Amino acid sequence: MTARAFLLRGLLAGLLAGFATFLVAHQVGEPSVERAVALENAPAPSGESAAHHDPAGGHTAHTHSDGGTTVSRGTQRTWGLLTGTVAVGVALGGIIALVAAGVVGRLGRLTPGQSTAVVTLVGFVAFALVPFLKYPANPPAVGSADTIGSRTGYYFLFVVISVVTAVAVTVLASRLWDRWGAYAAVVSGTGLYLVVMVVAGVLMPTVNEVGDFPADTLWFFRRASVLTLATMWAVIGVALTGLVGRLHRETSAVTARRELAASL
């Protein structure tokens, strides 16, 4: 079982995750984005002209322009969204696969498939879920353009703290596994991670720039964002775990046949 074998399966799992994530993002997330875009493009109370506003309540005229290139909302929510989710899925699947290949045999008595599942679960919690709880995603029309740099910096700093802490407690739990047993090791590692992240979450600045944005639209958008993240990681985890488990069984069978042949 080589790193290349893991990587190929990770890329395949990421490709599948990209398509699945697109479906969830398009069907669950885009309606909330559309409502947020409508609020962003709505005429100001003072009567200022709102470019691209659709009086009928539609959002097809909303565009983004960069260097003279205009991308319509129709493209953003279809081919643009599909391209983004597939690209992120493939890249993330490859990274998870390489990390899983590196930890094989280092997490107690777990098989390669089981350790791959653990890597994916820890990655989702540390890299996606916990940072989201502290600095959740915001829809269009939420947040000041003047603070985007600081808000981005806070988020990535919190991601770094979360990932480093998760790696450290995982290493600690694996070393305590043989001495204290699986249950005590997992509980100790999980508890230590929660303590560190709660303290970090309390100490780091809180960003609150929602203003008078509708609470229900914000809630639906953030819920859709979590579902999209969970879909990406879950599909990668399930697919990669299955592929690695199958590879391990095939490799073990070949090794057993060779050992049997050598003993005759």
Side-chain angles (χ1 to χ4, degrees):
M1 299 180 66
T2 63
R4 180 177 180 274
F6 272 79
L7 177 60
L8 292 176
R9 285 157 178 79
L11 296 177
L12 177 58
L15 181 63
L16 296 175
F19 284 111
T21 302
F22 165 74
L23 293 176
V24 173
H26 187 271
Q27 296 300 315
V28 179
E30 279 300 315
S32 299
V33 176
E34 290 290 292
R35 289 192 291 270
V37 168
L39 293 171
E40 184 183 36
N41 290 339
S46 60
E48 297 178 359
S49 173
H52 307 304
H53 175 65
D54 182 1
H59 322 301
T60 56
H62 182 81
T63 60
H64 287 292
S65 178
D66 182 14
T69 301
T70 300
V71 181
S72 67
R73 274 294 299 151
T75 300
Q76 293 171 26
R77 65 181 301 184
T78 53
W79 294 109
L81 181 60
L82 176 61
T83 301
T85 55
V86 169
V88 172
V90 171
L92 184 60
I95 293 172
I96 294 173
L98 291 177
V99 174
V103 304
V104 169
R106 293 180 171 84
L107 295 180
R109 300 177 182 178
L110 298 182
T111 66
Q114 293 170 339
S115 64
T116 298
V118 170
V119 167
T120 308
L121 179 60
V122 172
F124 169 67
V125 172
F127 185 79
L129 181 59
V130 171
F132 185 93
L133 296 177
K134 174 62 179 178
Y135 298 111
N138 287 325
V142 173
S144 171
D146 297 332
T147 62
I148 188 172
S150 60
R151 287 186 283 121
T152 303
Y154 295 152
Y155 173 77
F156 281 108
L157 176 59
F158 198 74
V159 169
V160 171
I161 294 173
S162 179
V163 171
V164 171
T165 303
V167 171
V169 299
T170 300
V171 172
L172 176 63
S174 66
R175 293 182 177 178
L176 296 176
W177 191 293
D178 293 333
R179 183 183 303 176
W180 291 358
Y183 177 80
V186 172
V187 170
S188 300
T190 302
L192 180 58
Y193 173 80
L194 289 176
V195 170
V196 173
M197 295 315 301
V198 167
V199 172
V202 171
L203 294 179
M204 289 195 64
T206 298
V207 177
N208 184 8
E209 299 180 352
V210 176
D212 58 355
F213 191 85
D216 58 343
T217 301
L218 181 64
W219 161 250
F220 288 129
F221 176 85
R222 288 179 173 174
R223 185 182 67 176
S225 298
V226 171
L227 290 174
T228 302
L229 283 172
T231 299
M232 175 72 75
W233 284 85
V235 174
I236 291 177
V238 171
L240 185 57
T241 298
L243 292 172
V244 170
R246 180 179 179 182
L247 174 64
H248 178 238
R249 289 190 297 272
E250 293 174 348
T251 303
S252 299
V254 171
T255 302
R257 287 197 298 268
R258 290 178 177 175
E259 292 177 351
L260 177 60
S263 63
L264 296 177

